Amino acid sequence: MTQSALVVGATGIVGNNLARHLRKRGWQVYGLARRPSSDFAGVLPVAADLLDAASLRTALQGVRPTHVFISSWLRQNTEAENIRINRAMVRNVLEVLSPSGSVRHVALVTGLKHYLGPFEAYGKGALPATPFREEQPRLDIDNFYYAQEDEVFSAAERDGFGWSVHRPHTIIGYAVGNAMNMGVTLAVYATICRKTGRPFLFPGSAVQWNGLTDMTDARLLARHLEWAATTEAARNQAFNIVNGDVFRWSWMWTQLANWFGLQPAPYPGEGIPLERQLADAGPIWAEIAREHRLAEPDLSVVTSAWHTDADLGRPIEVVTDMSKSRKLGFLDYQATDDSFFELFAQLRDARIIP
C-alpha cells in the first residue's frame, strides 16, 4: 500500500524539505499551504487557510492521508494569541480529517522553545540544565508548543492514530520567505558585507560566541520525521533532533566568512543585533539584486533578522541530547558547517544570492 502524506506547511523550511524527501522515497505527497508552490515535482498542492475550517474541508475533500506532518505556525503579538491561533490550526486540520479514519500517524514539529520558553520569555527565568532531554517537564509558563501538542494528543485519543513530536534546534535549510531562517539570513548578511565593506560581525551574545551549541539540518529532520512515522518503537514519543555535532560560534563564524571570501570581524564582547545592522540595508539589497539579476529584491522576504537575533542572543549555552533517538535506531549525522555550505551553494544556484 502506498503511504500518503499530508504535509501541513509545505512551503516552509521544514515542509519544503520534507515534501521533497518523501517524494523521493516514493510517498504520495499532498502539500498544504495558504499559497502552495507549484514547483514541487510530484507534490499535489492543497490551498487552504488552516484557520478556516470550511476552507479546509473543501480543500481536503477526497484526501485520505495515512500520515500527517504538521510544521506550520503563525507568529502573533502575544503568547496568548500564539496559543489561540496555533492551537486552532492543529485542531482544525485534525478535525477535518477525522471522519475519513485514514490517518495512522501524526507528526508535529515544534522546537527547543519547549525547554527555553516562548519568545516573550525566551531564555529567561529558571531554565532546565543542558543538554536538553525529552523527559524534562514542561516549563511552568504558557507556550503555544504545549497547546499544539495537547491538540495532537487529544485527537490521537479520539481517533486512535499514533503520534510523534519533533523538537529541532535552529533549522538550516532551503526556503525563501520563511519566518525563522538563520541560514538564508546569514547568507544575505554576508553578501551585503562583501558588497559594502561593512564588517562581518557576529550579532549575538558572548555566551553564544564562546559556548557550545548545535543546529538541525532540514534534510536530517525530514529523515527523522519519516523514521518516527514508520517505526513502531517511536510511536507516541517526543524526540529532540539535531545534527549530532557541537560547535562554538567563535569557530563557525570564521568558516562562514571564509565561504564568502570575507575576513570575520573581531568579536567586541557584545554583538550588534542584525535588526540594527540591516535596518538601512533594504536599498542595498535591491541594488545587489538588480546588479546580479537575483530572484528576490525585497530584503524583508529573504531575511528573518528578528529570529536570528533571538537565537544568537540567548544568554545560556544550548546543547541538545539525542540519546533517545539513537537508542531506538536513528543514527543519522550531519556536519553543521557542511549544512551551511550546501545551503549557500543551493541559494547561489537558485539565484537567491550572487
Side-chain angles (χ1 to χ4, degrees), residues 1 14 30 47 64 89 100 183 191 206 215 217 226 238 280 287 293 306 310 321 323 345 354:
M1 177 181 175
V14 176
Y30 296 91
R64 296 172 55 85
M89 293 196 303
S100 75
T191 301
M215 295 184 75
D217 191 301
E226 184 190 23
D280 65 344
E287 179 185 345
R293 299 182 182 179
W306 68 273
D321 184 72
S323 298

Side-chain angles (χ1 to χ4, degrees), residues 206-262:
V207 173
Q208 291 301 304
W209 179 252
N210 295 309
L212 291 172
T213 193
D214 48 30
M215 295 184 75
T216 305
D217 191 301
R219 300 165 301 179
L220 181 86
L221 174 56
R223 298 195 297 272
H224 192 256
L225 284 159
E226 184 190 23
W227 166 78
T230 56
T231 300
E232 183 59 32
R235 181 183 174 92
N236 298 346
Q237 299 285 337
F239 295 102
N240 296 330
I241 173 62
V242 288
N243 285 345
D245 62 351
V246 295
F247 63 90
R248 302 181 199 277
W249 276 106
S250 56
W251 173 82
M252 183 67 79
W253 201 247
T254 299
Q255 313 313 307
L256 304 188
N258 289 343
W259 198 93
F260 285 96
L262 296 168

Side-chain angles (χ1 to χ4, degrees), residues 137-185:
R138 292 177 174 181
L139 299 175
D140 187 19
I141 189 170
D142 289 340
N143 191 324
F144 82 85
Y145 282 173
Y146 305 159
Q148 288 187 314
E149 284 186 349
D150 289 343
E151 288 297 333
V152 172
F153 301 158
S154 176
E157 185 174 354
R158 177 191 68 214
D159 295 337
F161 56 72
W163 56 265
S164 57
V165 174
H166 303 255
R167 299 170 186 160
H169 196 169
T170 304
I171 300 171
I172 307 171
Y174 183 84
V176 177
N178 186 260
M180 298 190 294
N181 198 333
M182 181 190 289
V184 179
T185 298

Side-chain angles (χ1 to χ4, degrees), residues 278-348:
L278 296 176
D280 65 344
I284 298 169
W285 182 253
E287 179 185 345
I288 293 171
R290 284 193 301 271
E291 180 182 348
H292 296 278
R293 299 182 182 179
L294 301 182
E296 180 50 66
D298 187 342
L299 182 67
S300 67
V301 173
V302 291
T303 59
S304 55
W306 68 273
H307 180 260
T308 300
D309 286 338
D311 272 8
L312 297 182
R314 290 179 298 211
I316 62 169
E317 182 176 87
V318 177
V319 184
T320 315
D321 184 72
M322 277 288 291
S323 298
K324 187 174 183 181
S325 291
R326 304 297 189 225
K327 289 177 180 178
L328 293 178
F330 185 82
L331 305 177
D332 287 21
Y333 164 86
Q334 171 67 45
T336 301
D337 52 344
D338 288 341
S339 292
F340 275 117
F341 302 155
E342 290 161 14
L343 170 62
F344 297 159
Q346 189 176 5
L347 292 172
R348 186 165 283 173

